[in-house]
Amino acid sequence: GRTKTKKKNLNPVWNETFSYEVPMKMIPPPSLVFKIFDYDIASNPDSMGVVSIPCPTTAGIVTDWYDIPRNSARNATGRIEIKIETKFITSRSLVRGNVFDLNADDPHRVGLAWDMIKGGKPVDMDVSCVAITSTGQISM
């Protein structure tokens, strides 16, 4: 993503949010790379530095200050504060008779669709139908 340009500001605050999905097969996930540029009316933007942060591998919120490496751009100096929120969404393999407890504090998505699973097998609609009991359990 790209933030909005903050003109004539030596201490910009962006407060912008970007969301990305990283497939589980990319574990460990790639690093998050933040490229910082100045704004020039008469010429192209100049790089002010690049900060590379390992993607968090646990759920939660991390807010931290990161030094801009001197070798990441000409005359690079300074620090940048970055807040990262990590969530993990897992899919359950549904088999007739399975019951899964739901945590009421976590959001849940339940989908029903005709689809092909890995290996090209069609999804059996009888197996993919989901019922939720009054106590919040997924039941089949």
Side-chain angles (χ1 to χ4, degrees):
R2 182 179 175 156
T3 63
K4 294 178 182 169
T5 300
K6 300 293 183 177
K7 297 178 182 176
K8 297 183 180 181
N9 189 333
L10 296 177
N11 293 298
V13 175
W14 285 275
N15 278 331
E16 295 185 39
T17 301
F18 299 94
S19 295
Y20 300 97
E21 291 185 16
V22 177
M24 291 301 289
K25 64 184 174 185
M26 291 183 73
I27 300 298
S31 294
L32 301 171
V33 178
F34 298 86
K35 297 179 180 182
I36 306 154
F37 292 90
D38 73 351
Y39 174 76
D40 293 320
I41 294 174
S43 64
N44 290 330
D46 299 313
S47 176
M48 296 178 67
V50 178
V51 176
S52 183
I53 302 168
C55 194
T57 56
T58 57
I61 298 174
V62 176
T63 303
D64 209 347
W65 284 91
Y66 298 90
D67 292 322
I68 298 170
R70 292 192 178 276
N71 64 350
S72 66
R74 186 175 172 202
N75 299 321
T77 61
R79 304 178 82 203
I80 185 168
E81 185 181 30
I82 299 172
K83 177 181 176 180
I84 301 170
E85 181 175 4
T86 309
K87 295 180 183 179
F88 293 95
I89 300 172
T90 58
S91 298
R92 303 241 185 195
S93 183
L94 299 177
V95 178
R96 187 179 307 275
N98 279 4
V99 175
F100 300 107
D101 290 326
L102 299 177
N103 180 346
D105 297 331
D106 294 332
H108 296 281
R109 294 183 200 162
V110 177
L112 177 63
W114 291 99
D115 204 350
M116 301 295 277
I117 58 176
K118 189 174 184 177
K121 296 180 182 178
V123 172
D124 179 352
M125 289 302 283
D126 292 333
V127 173
S128 62
C129 291
V130 176
I132 300 177
T133 67
S134 61
T135 60
Q137 292 183 320
I138 296 177
S139 173
M140 296 179 44

